[in-house]
Structures are given as C-alpha cells and as structure tokens.
Amino acid sequence: MRQVVVTGMGVVSPIGMGVKNFCKALFLGKNGIGKITHFDPSSYRSRIAGEVKNFDPYQYLAPKEVRRMDRFTQLGMVAAEEAVRETEITGEDNDPATIGVLVGSGVGGLRTIEREQTILLQKGPGRVSPFLVPMLITDITSALIAIKYGFCGPNFSVSTACATGNHSIGEAFKIIQRGDAEIMIAGGTEAAITPLGVAGFCSMRALSTRNEHPEKASRPFDKERDGFVIGEGAGVVVLEELDRARKRSAPIWGEITGFGMSEDAYHITQPVSDGRGIRQAMNKALEDAKISPREVDYINAHGTSTPFNDKVETQAIKDVFGRKAYQIPVSSTKSMTGHLLGATGGVELIACLLALRDGIVPPTINYENPDPECDLDYVPNKAREVKIKIAMSNSMGFGGHNAVLVVKKF
C-alpha cells in the first residue's frame, strides 16, 4: 500500500494567519473569540464569533480575483498558497495530471447569496452579478486552486457540514493510495459569519449566548457550556506519495495512516445518543491505520462546546479506548478558534501535525467546571509537553456525518 505524507500546510484562522502564527497562538492557548464585526449583531441572540482578524484579501489576491470570489474562497486560496509555496510544487515542474485538489466547504458562498438577493429585490434581475453562481458553489475553491497552479489531476469538493475538512483530506489520502494521483491539495474553507448564517444558527439555539464575555464562550466539555461559537477560516494541506516526496527532498510534517467515516442515520443536527456513529468512524480509522487503540497518544476532539455533542463524543471515546481513554490527552482547539464548520477538519489536522512535531498538546481553554459526564483528560487551560507518535482527529457534521483521521509522526 502506498504511503502518504504531508509536505505542506497552510492555515487562516481566528488565532493566527499562517502556520507559524497559528502554532504560537495554539500552544499559548490564545482566545480568538470576540464581538461580531462583519455586520451589526445587536439584535441577535448570539453576538460573538471567531472572525479572522485584519484579513485584507487585496494583500494576497489581484483586485479582479477579489471581486470574483466569495470570502470563503479567498480564505481557502490564501491557505492553499501557503501550503503550495512551502512544498514547492508546480504544474510546470511536474506532470500536472498527477496533482489534484480537493478543498471543500460546508456552506459555500453565503455572503454572495445574501448580497445578490438584496440586489435582485432592490434593482431587478438584470443587476445580479454574472459571477453569482461560480462565487457561491462549494467546488469553486478546488477549481480556482487548480487553475492558478495548472493542476490537472482529480478535482472536486466535499460538503458534509462540519465533517467536510476531514472527509476532504481522507478522500485525498485514498486517491493517492490507490494511485489516481501523486499529490493532492486538500482541506476545508468556510466564511459563514453573515447575517443569515448567524440568524439560522441562533434560531436553532445552537450558539453560545455568553455575549458579555466572548473570550469565555467556547468551553468544550465544561459543565457550563451553552453552545458553540461560529468561526471562519481555512486549513489546507499538501498530501504526497512518500517515495515521490523523498526523491525531491520535500519537507515531511507527518504521515496520514488511517481514515474512517460513518453515518449516524439518526437526526439532522444531533449525534445519536449512544455515540455509535463517531465510535464506528474511530474504529474504522484505527483499522485502516493498522494500529490498536493503545497506540494513540493524542485525540483532537470534535468538542464543539454544545451540551449534547461533548457528552456523546466523550462516551464514544471511552467505548473505543476502554481504560486507555483516561490516559490519552484529549483536547478541543475549538475552545480557541470557535467552530470553523467545513474548515475545522483542515485546521485541526494541522494542529495535530504541529503537536506531533513539537511534542506539545494544545489545551482546551475555558475548562473550569468539570462535568461528571465528561470525565476524560481534556488538557485544561495550558498546553502540555507529551511524547506523541500517533494522533487522531475527530469531526462530526449535521446530517450525522462522521469522519476521523489518524496521523503518525514521521
């Protein structure tokens, strides 16, 4: 079986632009949550979010590109540019048919939809942008990355809500394993902090209403958690067949060794109460990686800070790992970034790879009140030095989608 390694990474997040800044903030336990500035949230139940601060797309993209891209694509393009630049691959130096792209989004161009709907109602159909459709569709980021670099290999997108990033990277991993590509640019991107997006989640009562103390709002596994905090960002990695990476002396961040996925087949927004869906995905990932539960050294949990999710995921981890579950550091980086929806899997895999490289487990900040139903080691509030050889990253999405990745130190 072909081995697949990570040779490039790019990240845009509420706690830092670029891998270097993200890494520093991650291990310091930096808070990235604040009052929404993208629009006036004063009439909303939840008025806080994990926004990417001071992001000026004109610093990274040509003016024409900026005007023809929704924010979710802008964020994804910037993350992809960092990842590709680091690994130094181009369509000119390689057979372009061997390089593919799989960058997904859970929501897509919601900002564009809202803006153009307003134009339609106020000015009529003739004033709607001719770029409306390509700006809003979820596959456009994959397409634009390929166009920019001349990558002609497998190219599509995945949209499985909050599991999108893990599904994208997992499928890209399998594409290389079976020989359909040598290199894949993969991950997730999202920018759904819009009036309609936030209103929808507010109506579901899914978001935290800790508006007076936003820095304390995202608190996975804490007894006082009251909902997730919506975030935005992008996480993109370059996956490469090992022999090819070695031949060109590419930097290697780690090895993808396992991917598992499942479906709850239970409810459109809630995970099944006994955790069997995420449990099945974890078991499949371990089986695919050909490792036993006792070999896992760190779990980056989905850990959304919602009452039900955190309890269910905790139980599923205990079911899979048995007594070992109490010895494995488990943390949720959403405590710092908020929930990046379709981008979260890409960003959290990068967090796992940084943990493997540096031997440091990122913390779960805001963990102050232990919950008897969430009784694992959540690495509360401060990062911890731990020798890590194998890490697992969990993602769960609306619709019952579950996707789990296993990565190994190289």
Side-chain angles (χ1 to χ4, degrees), residues 154-380:
N155 190 294
F156 60 104
S157 72
V158 168
S159 186
T160 51
C162 307
T164 294
N166 270 12
H167 271 123
S168 298
I169 295 167
E171 286 301 310
F173 162 59
K174 291 301 177 182
I175 286 170
I176 296 175
Q177 270 199 336
R178 65 176 180 254
D180 288 341
E182 299 291 324
I183 299 172
M184 290 292 296
I185 290 79
T189 184
E190 203 79 89
I193 306 173
T194 71
L196 184 61
V198 176
F201 283 118
C202 282
S203 293
M204 294 171 61
R205 301 295 195 268
L207 299 180
S208 171
T209 56
R210 206 178 287 259
N211 297 307
E212 302 307 314
H213 301 284
E215 73 283 355
K216 294 287 187 180
S218 187
R219 45 197 314 114
F221 306 108
D222 186 271
K223 188 176 181 179
E224 302 302 319
R225 63 192 185 275
D226 71 328
F228 77 84
V229 176
I230 190 172
E232 64 180 355
V236 176
V237 294
V238 176
L239 305 185
E240 189 166 354
E241 193 274 326
L242 175 59
D243 289 341
R244 184 186 183 115
R246 279 175 164 163
K247 285 178 183 177
R248 64 186 196 87
S249 301
I252 296 177
W253 288 89
E255 180 182 359
I256 308 291
T257 59
F259 173 49
M261 53 183 170
S262 68
E263 164 61 36
D264 286 356
Y266 170 70
H267 191 273
I268 58 172
T269 59
Q270 289 187 356
V272 62
S273 59
D274 63 3
R276 63 177 179 267
I278 189 63
R279 180 174 70 240
Q280 179 181 333
M282 285 190 281
N283 280 326
K284 283 182 174 292
L286 293 170
E287 181 182 354
D288 190 44
K290 297 180 174 58
I291 62 171
S292 70
R294 66 176 178 273
E295 295 178 82
V296 174
D297 302 306
Y298 167 58
I299 299 172
N300 188 294
H302 189 55
T304 58
S305 186
T306 55
F308 202 54
N309 175 94
D310 294 3
K311 178 178 69 172
V312 167
E313 187 177 12
T314 294
Q315 185 57 54
I317 291 171
K318 290 191 284 189
D319 291 342
V320 171
F321 292 92
R323 294 180 182 177
K324 168 75 174 177
Y326 292 94
Q327 302 167 13
I328 304 173
V330 177
S331 68
S332 172
T333 47
K334 291 182 182 69
S335 60
M336 294 174 267
T337 65
H339 193 345
L340 310 187
L341 309 179
T344 198
V347 172
E348 289 171 6
L349 179 69
I350 291 171
C352 287
L353 290 163
L354 292 169
L356 289 171
R357 183 194 68 177
D358 295 345
I360 302 175
V361 172
T364 304
I365 67 170
N366 297 323
Y367 185 81
E368 299 169 339
N369 308 287
D371 182 343
E373 293 186 289
C374 297
D375 57 350
L376 300 178
D377 176 6
Y378 301 114
V379 196

Side-chain angles (χ1 to χ4, degrees), residues 28 106 126 137 151 188 197 231 236 277 303 306 329 337 346 409:
L28 287 175
I137 53 179
F151 299 151
V236 176
T306 55
T337 65
K409 188 171 185 177

Side-chain angles (χ1 to χ4, degrees), residues 34-49 51 193-195 198-199 202 209 211-212:
K35 182 179 177 180
I36 291 172
T37 63
H38 290 346
F39 62 91
D40 178 7
S42 57
S43 61
Y44 287 68
R45 292 186 74 252
S46 179
R47 301 185 289 277
I48 55 178
E51 296 179 337
I193 306 173
T194 71
V198 176
C202 282
T209 56
N211 297 307
E212 302 307 314

